[in-house]
Amino acid sequence: MQLVCAQDAAQGRAAICVAATGGGALRHKAEMQDRMNVHIHMVNELKAVSLGWQQSVAQADAAQARSLVCNVGTGVSMISVGKDGAFERVSGSGLGGATFWGLAKRLTAYTDFDTAVLAAHASGDAGRVDTLVGDIYGVETSKEIGMPADLVAGFLGKLGSQDASDADLVAALLRMIASNLGQLAVFQARAMGVDTVWFTGGFFQQRPHGLGNADDGGAGVVRQAMVEAVGFWSGGTIGARFPPDASLLGALGAVTASGISA
């Protein structure tokens, strides 16, 4: 925004119309209109995500009468989108991207999202932070009661351990958020009778660090965590999918809804 808001960037041209959606755009609307010489056309966020999904990937889910789109940004909204374009927020959660990153910044020295997530993927051990079934019962007794020793009994249960590194903490936080979200998504998918959950939103955004495609960066790590969580809670019967440019569907839908042409 600082680059676009440079004083000379808005001089010498007529005001342009910009479609926008989401809380951040609403919060900065007045400043953007004043400094950028633009008119901001705000679009309902759920409507924008739904329209963006239809524009981008609706045909891939054509067999379903309704599709479940799980938009993860600051928080989480689960949206039922029909073939006719009708949409409804059917569920959600306050445990989302802001929870993950807020705790990560508070508990670790990381200041960059991708750096934190990639470090967690490379060397983090969530088991040093979470209390596992094996920590309570031991490996052999865990087998006797029919529960894996590495199953999480309590997220962040060993948070005070001096043995945990920053990478371990981020790994545990990501597992906690992904597991919670995966469980909610699976329950909602079953309630709707669908076998796929489409994940979108800024939590899955590839950030410009020159890390190659999304699977090579922090976005790929976050997506894989969601795939594993959905697979765990559904027993492999429900799939987690990610549209192309998953974090941009809201922007695409906002432009579509506003009728702004290039």
Side-chain angles (χ1 to χ4, degrees), residues 4 28 46 49 58 71 76 109 119 126 147 156 174 204 216 233 256 258:
V4 181
H28 295 291
L46 300 186
V49 171
N71 190 52
V76 180
M147 300 176 73
L156 310 185
L174 181 58
F204 309 105
D216 294 331
W233 287 109
T256 301
S258 68

Side-chain angles (χ1 to χ4, degrees), residues 238-256:
I238 295 174
R241 298 186 66 179
F242 304 87
D245 298 321
S247 64
L248 302 179
L249 292 193
L252 175 61
V255 172
T256 301

